Amino acid sequence: MTENKPLVPSAAYRYGTIDTSAPNQDGEVASDHILDARQAKLQIGIPTAVFLIVNRIIGTGIFATPGTILALSGSVGLSLIMWVVGMIIALAGTAVFIEFGTAIPKNGGEKNYLEYVFTKPKFLTSALYTGYVVLLGWASGNSVVFGEYILHAANVEVGRWNQRGVGLTCITFAFLVHGLFLKWGMRLQNVLGSIKIIIILIMVVAGWVALAGHAKLEEKPNNFHDAFEGTTGSAYGVVTALYNVIWSFAGYSNANYALSETKNPVRTLRIAAPLAVGFIGTLYILVNISYFAAVPKEEMLEAKRLVAASLFRNVFGETAERALSVFVALSALGNVMSVIFSQGRLVQELGREGILPFSKFWASNRPFNAPLAGLFWHWLICVITILAPPPGDAYNFILNLISYPLAIINTFVAAGLVHLYLHRDAWNWHPPFNASLPVVIFSMLSNIYLVVAPFMPPEGGQNVYQSLPYWIHCVCGFGVIFAGGVYYLVWAVAMPKLGKYQLVRETIIDEIDGWEKNVFVKRRLGELPATTT
C-alpha cells in the first residue's frame, strides 16, 4: 500500500465475510493455527448482538430523563415529538453504522471508519479518537442513577456521597466481572437485557392500566388535554431536550465494537442493529405515553430522575414502587456492564495498534483472556467523572459531556460516508448494505445541529445546571478532542523528530488470536517499510 492511496481493508475482511482462505495484503494465506484462533474468537451471534445493543441503549435514560425533557420542552406534545425525532435520528445513525460495519467488520467501531476516510494529516484521526476514547467516562452516568434508584428502593434519603458510593460499587462490580469472568459477564449481560425488556413492558402495561382509569390517584392526570400548552420557543430548550433523548438512544453502534468476535458479521449486524433500535424506539414512545397517563405533569417535573418510581407508585402502590425501583437499578447495571465491555475493548484496540504509551500492557488479554487493563482504565475515568462534578449537577453534566463529543464524532462518521458516496468508484466503495445518501445526509445534518445549537444561551431559567455555566459540556467536549490533538503533536510529530524515526502503520495478523490489525511501528529514517499508510 502506498502513501497516496486510501486505507482499504484486506481481502480477508472486506465487505463482511472473514474469508479464512483468502490471502492477506502480502499475498500470504493464514495458517491452520490462525484460522482456528479466529474461529474460537467468534462467540457473538444475533441474540448476543441484539443484547449488546439493548443493554447499551436501555440504561437509565428512559427512566431518568423524561422529567427533564418535559421541563425543557415545556409541553407534553413537544416532549413526545422529541422522542419521535430522537428515534428517527437514531435509526439514521444506525443505518450509517450498519453500512460501515458490514464494509469493515473489525473491532473498533467508528475509529476504523474515521481512519479509513480521513487519512490526512497522517495519524491525526487516530490521535483525536484516542482522546475521545480514553478521557470520557461513558459508564458513569448510569452508575450514578443506579445508586439513586437503589437508595430509593431501600427508602434511604439520597445524598451526595451515598449515591456516589453505591454508583462506585456498581461500576466496580461491572469491571471485575468482565475483567475476571468474561463468559459469565456476557451471560449476565444477556440476563439483564431480558430484565430491561420486562421492566419496559411492565411500564407499558402500567400506562394501559392508568388510561383505563385505575391509577391510585384521587385526581387522574389530564396531560393529553391541550398537549402543546406551554411549548417552549427556546432553541436551547429544544436542543438540550433532544440531547437527553439522544443520550437515551446512545449505543446503537455497540455491536460494531466487537465485529471481530461476531459470527457472520454482515448478516448479524444487518438483522440485530435495526431490530434492536426499532424495537427500543417503539417501547420508548409507549413508555412516555405511560408516564403522561399516570403521572401528573407537576409531579413529573418535581420527580426529576425518579419519574419511573412515580409511575410505579401511582399505578401499583408504594410496595411495588420500591420493588420495581430495584429492577430499574438492575437495568442501569446492565447498561454499565455493556458500556464498560465495549469501552475496554476500544482501549485495548488502541494498545494493540501501538497508539497508547506502554501499548503491550493495554493490548494484553492476560491473565483471564479479557482486556483487563482497558477495562481498568475506563473504570478509573468513570470513578473520576462520578466524583468530580458538584452535587445536583453530576448527572446532567455527565449526560451532556458524553453526548456532545458523540455528536461531533457522529458528524464526521456521516460526513465520511457522504464523501465515499460522492467518490464511490475512486474508493471502490460497494459494501453489502447501502444506507442511501438522503439518510446519511440527514444523519450528518442532525448531528451538526446538535454540535452548534448548545452554544445558544438558555432563556427563562432553562439552564439544566444549578451552578455550572450552560456551555460547560461544550467546552469540555471540545477539550477532550483537543487533548487528542495535543497527543498527536507529541506522539506523531515531536517524538519522531527527536528520536529520528518515522512512524508508520502496518497491517499484520496476530499470531495469538488470528485477528488482522493495523499497528504503528517506529522505523529508523531511511528504512523502507513493506506496507505503510
Side-chain angles (χ1 to χ4, degrees):
M1 186 179 294
T2 60
E3 294 283 346
N4 58 351
K5 291 182 180 179
L7 176 64
V8 179
S10 69
Y13 281 95
R14 278 184 66 83
Y15 303 150
T17 55
I18 301 179
D19 183 0
T20 53
S21 65
N24 64 13
Q25 290 178 323
D26 297 323
E28 300 172 346
V29 177
S31 66
D32 291 340
H33 162 73
I34 291 177
L35 302 185
D36 291 340
R38 283 180 184 170
Q39 293 302 319
K41 281 289 183 180
L42 302 181
Q43 301 183 34
I44 298 175
I46 292 175
T48 300
V50 168
F51 279 119
L52 277 174
I53 298 170
V54 168
N55 266 320
R56 181 68 181 262
I57 294 180
I58 304 179
T60 57
I62 188 59
F63 309 119
T65 63
T68 301
I69 293 168
L70 175 61
L72 292 165
S73 302
S75 70
V76 173
L78 183 57
S79 179
L80 289 173
I81 288 175
M82 287 292 100
W83 284 96
V84 174
V85 171
M87 181 177 69
I88 294 172
I89 293 174
L91 287 170
T94 301
V96 170
F97 275 87
I98 292 175
E99 177 159 351
F100 265 127
T102 55
I104 311 174
K106 299 167 62 177
N107 279 12
E110 59 263 20
K111 175 181 178 295
N112 295 325
Y113 319 146
L114 294 170
E115 288 178 339
Y116 181 89
V117 180
F118 302 102
T119 58
K120 296 180 181 179
K122 283 201 309 180
F123 315 142
L124 176 61
T125 298
S126 302
L128 293 176
Y129 190 77
T130 297
Y132 170 74
V133 169
V134 303
L135 295 178
L136 289 177
W138 285 81
S140 51
N142 287 296
S143 299
V144 168
V145 176
F146 172 88
E148 190 164 6
Y149 268 91
I150 284 291
L151 293 171
H152 183 76
N155 203 22
V156 174
E157 183 179 356
V158 178
R160 176 183 182 182
W161 294 111
N162 61 1
Q163 177 190 17
R164 297 184 186 197
V166 178
L168 290 176
T169 302
C170 172
I171 187 67
T172 301
F173 172 80
F175 157 60
L176 292 176
V177 169
H178 276 316
L180 304 180
F181 311 102
L182 176 61
K183 288 188 177 181
W184 281 104
M186 296 181 69
R187 290 168 183 166
L188 180 57
Q189 277 188 191
N190 289 353
V191 171
L192 292 173
S194 300
I195 291 175
K196 291 171 187 282
I197 295 174
I198 293 171
I199 297 168
I200 295 290
L201 292 175
I202 291 174
M203 295 172 74
V204 172
V205 171
W208 294 342
V209 172
L211 288 172
H214 300 297
K216 298 180 182 298
L217 293 172
E218 293 182 4
E219 184 177 346
K220 309 304 180 186
N222 194 24
N223 291 324
F224 297 111
H225 175 72
D226 198 8
F228 288 91
E229 181 184 2
T231 297
T232 181
S234 164
Y236 175 86
V238 170
V239 76
T240 308
L242 198 53
Y243 263 122
N244 280 264
V245 176
I246 293 298
W247 163 254
S248 301
F249 279 100
Y252 54 75
S253 62
N254 205 37
N256 291 61
Y257 299 130
L259 289 177
S260 293
E261 303 168 62
T262 300
K263 304 171 187 175
N264 195 346
V266 169
R267 179 175 180 271
T268 297
L269 192 60
R270 292 177 68 170
I271 295 174
L275 176 63
V277 177
F279 178 64
I280 292 169
T282 302
L283 289 180
Y284 275 5
I285 294 171
L286 293 175
V287 168
N288 273 277
I289 293 174
S290 294
Y291 285 141
F292 292 122
V295 185
K297 184 176 178 180
E298 295 73 17
E299 185 179 342
M300 282 190 67
L301 296 174
E302 292 175 2
K304 296 182 179 179
R305 290 180 294 275
L306 294 173
V307 63
S310 296
L311 170 65
F312 297 147
R313 181 180 62 251
N314 292 352
V315 176
F316 301 115
E318 292 186 1
T319 302
E321 172 194 358
R322 287 194 292 272
L324 288 170
S325 292
V326 174
F327 287 103
V328 172
L330 291 177
S331 173
L333 173 62
N335 179 270
V336 170
M337 293 195 65
S338 180
V339 170
I340 198 170
F341 174 89
S342 299
Q343 295 303 119
R345 278 154 179 76
L346 283 176
V347 174
Q348 182 187 48
E349 197 69 18
L350 295 173
R352 287 163 59 88
E353 293 190 6
I355 297 176
L356 295 176
F358 312 108
S359 288
K360 290 184 178 180
F361 171 74
W362 302 111
S364 175
N365 265 333
R366 295 186 177 93
F368 303 106
N369 196 31
L372 189 62
L375 293 167
F376 169 77
W377 179 259
H378 192 69
W379 171 86
L380 179 62
I381 295 299
C382 286
V383 169
I384 295 171
T385 306
I386 290 171
L387 296 177
D393 283 337
Y395 182 75
N396 284 330
F397 174 73
I398 292 170
L399 183 154
N400 290 320
L401 179 60
I402 299 300
S403 300
Y404 192 80
L406 178 62
I408 298 173
I409 294 295
N410 285 344
T411 297
F412 280 96
V413 171
L417 192 51
V418 170
H419 176 77
L420 292 176
Y421 277 13
L422 298 179
H423 304 86
R424 190 183 292 273
D425 292 336
W427 287 79
N428 191 25
W429 186 255
H430 303 285
F433 179 86
N434 186 281
S436 81
L437 185 59
V439 170
V440 178
I441 290 177
F442 172 76
S443 179
M444 180 182 69
L445 294 178
S446 300
N447 282 286
I448 290 174
Y449 174 74
L450 291 174
V451 171
V452 174
F455 285 101
M456 298 180 182
E459 301 173 3
Q462 282 190 320
N463 190 356
V464 295
Y465 303 124
Q466 297 177 17
S467 56
L468 295 174
Y470 73 92
W471 42 259
I472 187 65
H473 60 276
C474 303
V475 173
C476 291
F478 274 109
V480 166
I481 306 295
F482 178 74
V486 173
Y487 184 66
Y488 163 79
L489 294 176
V490 175
W491 165 67
V493 179
M495 290 182 64
K497 287 184 178 180
L498 294 174
K500 300 185 184 304
Y501 62 83
Q502 181 183 11
L503 192 66
V504 298
R505 181 165 51 188
E506 298 181 349
T507 301
I508 66 171
I509 295 178
D510 193 300
E511 290 291 337
I512 297 177
D513 56 30
W515 292 351
E516 182 182 280
K517 63 179 181 179
N518 298 313
V519 296
F520 291 87
V521 297
K522 300 174 182 178
R523 297 280 185 181
R524 305 304 302 179
L525 294 179
E527 293 184 11
L528 182 63
T531 59
T532 66
T533 60

